[in-house]
Amino acid sequence: MMEKTWRWFGKKDKITLPMLRQIGVEGIVTALHDVPNGEIWTTEAISDLKSYIESYGLRWSVVESLPVCEAIKYGGTEREQLIENYKVSLANLGKCGVKTVCYNFMPVIDWIRTDLQHPWADGTSSLYYDRIRFAYFDIRILGREGAEKDYTEEELHKVNELDKVITETEKEALIDTIIVKTQGFVNGNIKEGDKNPVAIFKRLLALYKDIDRETLRENMHYFLTAIMPVCEEYDINMCVHPDDPPFQVLGLPRIVTNEKDIEWFLNAVDNPHNGLTFCAGSLSAGEHNDTRELAKKFAKRTHFVHLRSTASIAGGNFIESSHLAGRGHIIDLIRIFEKENPGLPMRVDHGRMMLGDEDKGYNPGYSFHGRMLALAQVEGMMAVVDDEMQRQMEL
């Protein structure tokens, strides 16, 4: 059966390891969050955290993440040194027995939402993406040159209408949600307390002024080619996280958005250690993706699974749904992965904020009770799938 893991943000996380052990978690997904991006992870620091996790009867299953610095993505002058540092960190992880590394290759901005606590009728809340509010941030707050070209006439009209009623408090909330809270809680480019985050963000965007999809692909190929010998030596599986959401934003190239993109990077560096983090939530946020078909095609090159789901809403919006609903098709995914690549580490993610979760999460949008419920649901699904497979083998 899939290994039940949980993303844990270190010793400062309000959700403690004893709590996780009690609810049936087997493996921990974490990182050395105190180490600045680009610096080497030492064997001493890795061993210390690994021993701490193991002292609670758990294991460090997946690194999420060993960050890929912006200069590696856009090909800056410091790229070579940063890649060398990355290789040393990978080797040190391998020496310590931590063998799976989830990372992303998204320029500047990681996951994007416009509301971290969108209310549901039952009193729970979840993450939400409102395309018009995001367009407002892009055009009116960020003032990105040429932004209007990325939106339809109808969308531009709605942005203008929103401008008549939006408050300064709502504008500040958009800035805080899009480029501070979702990016800065761990290893982000912008942190809580930074003065004028919009100016910082615009400087980061400027680094990619001349970087298109093909250039970003070339830089990803360069990075993967450089690190694969270390991955082979220490049997480390790299697994890239899909872009979230899986479409172009803010004039930035996004290169892990669909079947063709995944096919490209797997073939570009055709090594079993070069693989995918199958995030059902990120992929399902794009209506062009069918998570079931993608899982069938790429299960063998998947090293880590995020079981979460989103639901599409008219107008290009989407919401984090319950784990048994939405376009993630999690029950079907469990069947596919248990058949094609059994034993993968998986973690339930996000879901609904409920029962006072807002006081327990280290990061906005990461529930405790909501994920605990989902873990129980997924565990039940895995047991059913395991029984189905046993019966089929006996026939």
Side-chain angles (χ1 to χ4, degrees):
M1 292 176 67
M2 288 175 137
E3 181 189 22
K4 294 171 292 205
T5 71
W6 190 284
R7 192 171 189 187
W8 176 69
F9 296 104
K11 298 175 184 179
K12 298 177 183 178
D13 198 328
K14 295 177 184 177
I15 301 171
T16 65
L17 295 181
M19 291 165 68
L20 297 182
R21 188 179 179 188
Q22 289 176 50
I23 64 174
V25 170
E26 299 163 333
I28 296 300
V29 179
T30 192
L32 299 183
H33 295 304
D34 293 333
V35 179
N37 290 2
E39 292 191 9
I40 289 171
W41 288 17
T42 65
T43 53
E44 291 79 11
I46 296 166
S47 294
D48 177 71
L49 185 58
K50 184 170 180 280
S51 297
Y52 181 81
I53 292 168
E54 290 171 350
S55 73
Y56 290 95
L58 300 163
R59 64 184 295 266
W60 188 353
S61 300
V62 180
V63 172
E64 187 175 351
S65 62
L66 180 57
V68 179
C69 291
E70 297 297 334
I72 294 175
K73 296 173 188 175
Y74 65 75
T77 55
E78 60 269 59
R79 173 170 68 171
E80 297 303 324
Q81 185 59 57
L82 288 169
I83 290 178
E84 286 305 310
N85 289 357
Y86 203 99
K87 289 161 66 175
V88 174
S89 295
L90 282 178
N92 289 342
L93 283 165
K95 291 171 186 175
C96 294
V98 184
K99 303 285 189 174
T100 303
V101 176
C102 171
Y103 71 103
N104 76 69
F105 219 79
M106 289 178 260
V108 181
I109 193 165
D110 196 340
W111 53 289
I112 299 172
R113 301 295 185 273
T114 56
D115 189 351
L116 300 177
Q117 294 187 12
H118 192 78
W120 289 75
D122 61 4
T124 62
S125 66
S126 64
L127 304 172
Y128 187 78
Y129 175 87
D130 184 304
R131 181 165 172 80
I132 299 305
R133 285 189 172 261
F134 183 77
Y136 185 90
F137 166 81
D138 189 10
I139 297 168
R140 295 300 180 94
I141 297 176
L142 193 61
R144 179 172 64 87
E145 184 179 352
E148 292 85 355
K149 298 176 184 177
D150 292 348
Y151 304 97
T152 66
E153 287 299 321
E154 181 182 358
E155 288 169 340
L156 293 174
H157 174 71
K158 290 180 179 179
V159 167
N160 290 334
E161 291 301 304
L162 176 60
D163 190 47
K164 297 175 183 177
V165 297
I166 193 169
T167 66
E168 290 301 316
T169 299
E170 287 176 307
K171 293 177 188 178
E172 290 299 321
L174 271 181
I175 294 169
D176 192 49
T177 297
I178 295 171
I179 60 175
V180 180
K181 279 195 168 65
T182 56
Q183 310 305 312
F185 71 105
V186 284
N187 299 100
N189 290 316
I190 298 173
K191 304 181 293 299
E192 297 257 11
D194 281 345
K195 294 181 179 179
N196 203 343
V198 172
I200 297 172
F201 192 68
K202 291 174 80 168
R203 288 197 294 271
L204 289 165
L205 288 179
L207 296 172
Y208 289 86
K209 183 178 180 181
D210 299 318
I211 306 296
D212 58 14
R213 273 176 56 85
E214 288 309 309
T215 305
L216 190 62
R217 275 183 165 184
E218 290 171 10
N219 292 343
M220 185 180 187
H221 179 265
Y222 187 90
F223 166 71
L224 288 171
T225 301
I227 66 171
M228 276 301 113
V230 178
C231 294
E232 289 183 332
E233 181 177 357
Y234 293 97
D235 193 27
I236 293 173
N237 288 327
M238 297 293 295
C239 39
V240 72
H241 191 288
D243 299 335
D244 187 4
F247 45 77
Q248 313 306 303
V249 293
L250 300 171
L252 295 167
R254 311 269 271 192
I255 58 173
V256 190
T257 65
N258 56 30
E259 179 181 348
K260 288 184 178 179
D261 285 349
I262 297 169
E263 204 164 46
W264 175 84
F265 84 81
L266 292 177
N267 290 336
V269 181
D270 193 9
N271 185 308
H273 295 288
N274 172 33
L276 175 68
T277 294
F278 195 99
C279 181
S282 298
L283 292 167
S284 65
E287 293 193 44
H288 54 282
N289 289 325
D290 184 324
T291 58
R292 296 159 295 187
E293 293 305 313
L294 293 174
K296 290 173 187 175
K297 183 163 186 176
F298 299 115
K300 298 294 186 184
R301 292 286 290 274
T302 294
H303 299 312
F304 183 33
V305 179
H306 288 181
L307 292 179
R308 43 178 284 255
S309 184
T310 59
S312 298
I313 300 171
N317 305 339
F318 63 86
I319 192 166
E320 196 82 21
S321 72
S322 298
H323 288 78
L324 301 187
R327 300 186 66 255
H329 302 293
I330 287 175
I331 296 175
D332 292 337
L333 295 187
I334 291 172
R335 288 193 172 97
I336 293 165
F337 285 116
E338 287 291 82
K339 178 182 178 182
E340 300 295 333
N341 198 352
L344 286 174
M346 71 80 187
R347 69 173 177 90
V348 295
D349 205 358
H350 294 306
R352 304 272 192 101
M353 300 285 283
M354 59 191 292
L355 300 173
D357 269 338
E358 62 275 7
D359 297 326
K360 293 182 174 59
Y362 179 58
N363 172 52
Y366 276 88
S367 65
F368 175 63
H369 292 110
R371 283 189 287 169
M372 184 171 65
L373 173 63
L375 186 65
Q377 292 171 327
V378 168
E379 190 171 17
M381 286 185 263
M382 289 194 298
V384 169
V385 170
D386 189 52
D387 288 343
E388 289 174 354
M389 294 177 71
Q390 287 290 337
R391 285 197 296 272
Q392 289 174 8
M393 291 173 63
E394 291 168 1
L395 293 176

